[in-house]
């Protein structure tokens, strides 16, 4: 069933057309990935569908009673609200229903008049029906699951939402949107600020989501895994492709080649006909002139095929001018803390010449700080960093702090390489699509993607043989990312990078380095290989040694049979407590079913007994939850103490 139709949408800004002819339909359960170069109008289209912006022309038809949810990038929470409170306000109706059920329950327990009691019972039954129909029993557990999946753990629930970083606010807003369960989800860069665990959780959530989705994302791995279809905006016009991102890229290339062949064939035929016409006219006879005119009319009536063109693409390559020794980078026992809080401890890693290593890990684990400590941008508390002989280190900072806001693009790059001529600098900038007057734009006026391209231009001109890259694909559109991947895959030097772009990791990595607080674990291969090895570790535990650090092996050996026995006992306590919660909830649910039966309210003695049982059952549920929580905490504390020994 079609739930959304977009027909000939057009939109201009300051007289410049952005969207010219956007038409497509969204079916129930369909998940469309919206792609196009930066500035092509993807976010504008989402805002138009969400009715945040009006189109200049065209219309959008939404099926009756369907709700649209839009992920805003600039959401601001209410002052003083905690993370938990910002999410709970979504379920205000259910919370009010709970309060009303409690008030009605108390009133029924005290009411002696049969008629009044019957009226209270009817009210209770109506409210209970609403509560059950809207998943009242499970909304709190769903809140916990979504917040946990998006990385809000370890006391985050009680933090003031206004104190969160921009990335954390985006994640919180995403959690709020997912919990509202709209029929149509509009997601503008939902993967921004998510670590690999949160990305995997979001993908699984959307794969099981019953509604429809339109998502703008530069994360090609996400688009591959989640999307059923793709929609590209090219020069303001929409093109639909069935299948995920990889299928889209293949079909897109086929369409372009097919159109180019058709265009070339038509142009060749037109040229052939023109030559024949010229020959006929050269005979200068009435019959030949009529023949020439006849052929010319056929050409004039032809529906000309437009020459297929691509959006402007960057094109560049990295080259290392010098070779280094076999050892490219040796890091030993590196430790860093801020204000007495440890970021990472005793981190060691080794890179050989030609390695392309990608560091991954949870948000906040210290990946960027580790790179800054290696490059010298920050001073480590202890440990050593040694680069190979003849090594020349180039650093790409994701914050782009090395750029000067008050300089033009041309001056920014030229000041870094004063020995090069203006022609050479402009030629390099042209590879990154800074053409003509573009080079005179000031850095402060550029978008994130444009600033990234300036920084990459400078890095390319250095010709270093050791590249340290911090999230190099951030801000780049999908096509620019693929050009970067192609350049790095052919690079003849050594790479150490931090990235959460799994598609990038698959294309580039020869090894994956998983960073934790006090160890770094090496996994040979790319991201797919890393996931496969992680699965084997889960399956075989200690019997599977690849991908396990010496530090972890030492900790594992400390777990004696007695320790394992204690852990198992604590796990059994958790399982037992969990079962008690389920039983208590079943009893409570059964009693609440009795309370919803109208016949119960004919007998005041009977209703009082049921209400008493209901209160006792509620108390049992609360006690069971407390017991379960204590069992979980005891298990966590025991394992934590073992690891700290």
């Amino acid at each position: 069933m079609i739930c959304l139709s977009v027909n000939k949408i057009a939109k201009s800004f300051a007289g410049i057309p952005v969207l010219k002819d956007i038409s497509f339909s969204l079916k129930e359960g369909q998940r469309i990935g919206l792609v196009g170069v930066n500035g092509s109008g993807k976010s504008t289209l989402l805002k138009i569908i969400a009715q945040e912006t009006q189109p200049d022309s065209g219309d959008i038809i939404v099926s009756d009673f369907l709700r649209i949810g839009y992920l805003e990038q600039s959401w601001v929470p209410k002052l003083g609200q905690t993370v938990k409170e910002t999410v709970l306000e979504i379920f205000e109706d259910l919370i009010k229903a709970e309060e009303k059920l409690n008030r009605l329950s108390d009133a029924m327990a005290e009411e002696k008049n049969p008629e009044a009691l019957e009226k209270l019972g009817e009210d209770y039954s109506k409210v209970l029906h609403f509560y059950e129909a809207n998943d009242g029993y499970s909304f709190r557990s769903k809140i916990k699951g979504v917040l946990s999946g998006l990385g809000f753990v370890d006391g985050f629930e009680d933090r003031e939402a206004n104190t969160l970083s921009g990335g954390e606010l985006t994640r919180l807003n995403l959690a709020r949107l997912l919990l509202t369960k709209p029929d149509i989800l509009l997601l503008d860069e939902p993967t921004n600020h998510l670590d690999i665990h949160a990305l995997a959780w979001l993908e699984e959530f959307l794969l099981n989501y019953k509604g429809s989705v339109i998502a703008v994302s530069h994360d090609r791995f996400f688009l591959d895994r989640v999307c059923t279809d793709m929609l590209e905006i090219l020069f303001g016009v929409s093109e639909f492709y069935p299948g995920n991102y990889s299928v889209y890229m293949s079909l897109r290339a086929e369409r372009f080649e097919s159109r180019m062949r058709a265009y070339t064939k038509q142009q060749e035929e037109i040229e052939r006909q023109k030559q024949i016409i010229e020959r006929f006219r050269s005979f200068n006879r009435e019959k030949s002139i009529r023949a020439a005119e006849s052929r010319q009319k056929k050409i004039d009536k032809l529906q000309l095929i437009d020459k297929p063109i691509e959006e402007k693409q960057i094109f560049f390559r990295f080259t290392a001018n010098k070779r280094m020794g076999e050892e490219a980078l040796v890091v030993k026992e590196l430790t860093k803390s801020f204000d007495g809080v440890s970021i990472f401890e005793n981190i060691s890693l080794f890179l050989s010449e030609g390695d392309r290593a990608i560091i991954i890990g949870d948000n906040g684990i210290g990946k960027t700080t580790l790179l800054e400590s290696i490059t010298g941008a920050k001073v480590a508390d202890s440990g050593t960093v040694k680069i190979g002989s003849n090594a020349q280190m180039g650093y790409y900072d994701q914050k782009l702090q090395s750029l000067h806001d008050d300089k033009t693009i041309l001056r920014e790059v030229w000041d870094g390489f004063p020995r090069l001529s203006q022609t050479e600098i402009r030629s390099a900038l042209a590879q990154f699509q800074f053409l003509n007057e573009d080079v005179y734009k000031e850095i402060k006026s550029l978008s994130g993607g444009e600033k990234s391209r300036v920084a990459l231009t400078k890095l390319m001109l250095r010709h270093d043989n050791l590249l340290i890259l911090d999230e190099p694909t951030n801000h780049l559109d999908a096509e620019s990312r693929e050009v970067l991947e192609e350049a790095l895959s052919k690079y003849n030097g050594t790479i150490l990078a931090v990235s959460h772009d799994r598609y990038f990791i698959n294309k580039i990595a020869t090894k994956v380095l998983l960073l934790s607080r006090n160890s770094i674990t090496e996994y040979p291969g790319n991201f797919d290989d890393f996931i496969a090895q992680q699965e084997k570790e889960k399956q075989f535990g200690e019997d599977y040694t690849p991908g396990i650090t010496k530090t972890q092996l030492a900790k594992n050996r400390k777990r004696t049979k007695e320790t394992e026995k204690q852990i198992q006992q604590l796990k059994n306590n958790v399982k037992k407590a969990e079962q008690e919660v389920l039983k208590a909830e079943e009893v409570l649910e059964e009693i609440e079913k009795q309370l919803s039966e109208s016949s119960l309210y004919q007998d005041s003695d009977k209703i009082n007994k049921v209400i008493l049982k209901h209160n006792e059952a509620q108390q049992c549920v609360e006690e069971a939850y407390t017991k379960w929580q204590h069992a979980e905490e005891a298990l966590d504390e025991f394992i934590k103490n073992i690891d700290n020994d």
Side-chain angles (χ1 to χ4, degrees), residues 75-82 86 89 160-162:
W75 171 73
V76 177
K78 295 175 184 175
L79 195 64
Q81 274 190 332
T82 66
T86 64
E89 71 177 358
E160 264 197 49
N162 287 101

Side-chain angles (χ1 to χ4, degrees), residues 343-367:
I343 304 301
F344 51 77
E345 298 176 2
N346 303 319
I347 299 300
S348 298
L349 65 91
F350 174 84
L351 294 187
S352 298
E353 184 193 19
D355 277 347
R356 297 197 294 269
I358 312 293
I359 300 173
I360 64 173
D362 294 341
N363 284 343
I365 204 69
K367 302 184 293 296

Side-chain angles (χ1 to χ4, degrees), residues 333-336 342-347 516-519:
E333 304 293 323
L334 214 60
T335 296
K336 182 65 180 176
S342 174
I343 304 301
F344 51 77
E345 298 176 2
N346 303 319
I347 299 300
S516 62
R517 196 67 65 192
N518 54 6
S519 68

Side-chain angles (χ1 to χ4, degrees), residues 431-468:
Q431 294 180 53
F432 289 84
Q433 285 306 317
F434 292 116
L435 307 168
N436 305 321
E437 298 303 307
D438 286 347
V439 300
Y440 298 112
K441 290 181 179 177
E442 289 189 333
I443 298 295
K444 62 186 174 188
S445 71
L446 303 182
S447 67
E450 289 170 327
K451 287 180 180 179
S452 292
R453 287 189 274 133
V454 173
L456 288 170
T457 304
K458 294 174 70 174
L459 191 63
M460 178 190 73
L461 288 170
R462 287 174 55 90
H463 299 290
D464 297 309
N465 53 18
L466 174 59
L467 296 181
I468 309 295

Side-chain angles (χ1 to χ4, degrees), residues 58 79 409 521:
L79 195 64
I409 295 173
T521 309

Side-chain angles (χ1 to χ4, degrees), residues 304-322:
L304 295 179
I305 299 171
D306 292 329
K307 183 178 181 179
I309 52 177
E310 294 274 30
E311 299 272 14
K312 292 179 180 178
Q313 287 189 354
I314 62 174
F315 174 78
F316 63 95
R317 62 195 182 103
F318 290 106
T319 56
N321 279 347
K322 289 184 179 180

Side-chain angles (χ1 to χ4, degrees), residues 73 150 166-168 170-171 189-195 198 363 500:
Q73 296 293 327
L150 292 174
E168 289 165 343
T170 300
R171 284 192 283 130
E189 295 292 356
T191 60
N192 280 2
H193 312 293
L194 299 185
D195 58 30
N363 284 343
H500 69 275

Side-chain angles (χ1 to χ4, degrees), residues 23 65 124 147 177 217 219 224 234 253 285 288 410 451 477 545 559-560 563 575 579 586:
S23 299
F65 309 115
Y124 188 95
L147 287 178
L177 178 62
S217 179
D219 189 327
D224 248 358
L234 185 66
R285 295 176 182 171
S288 62
L410 179 61
K451 287 180 180 179
D477 57 43
T545 53
R559 293 190 175 183
T560 61
T563 302
K575 190 173 182 180
Q579 289 172 344
E586 286 174 1

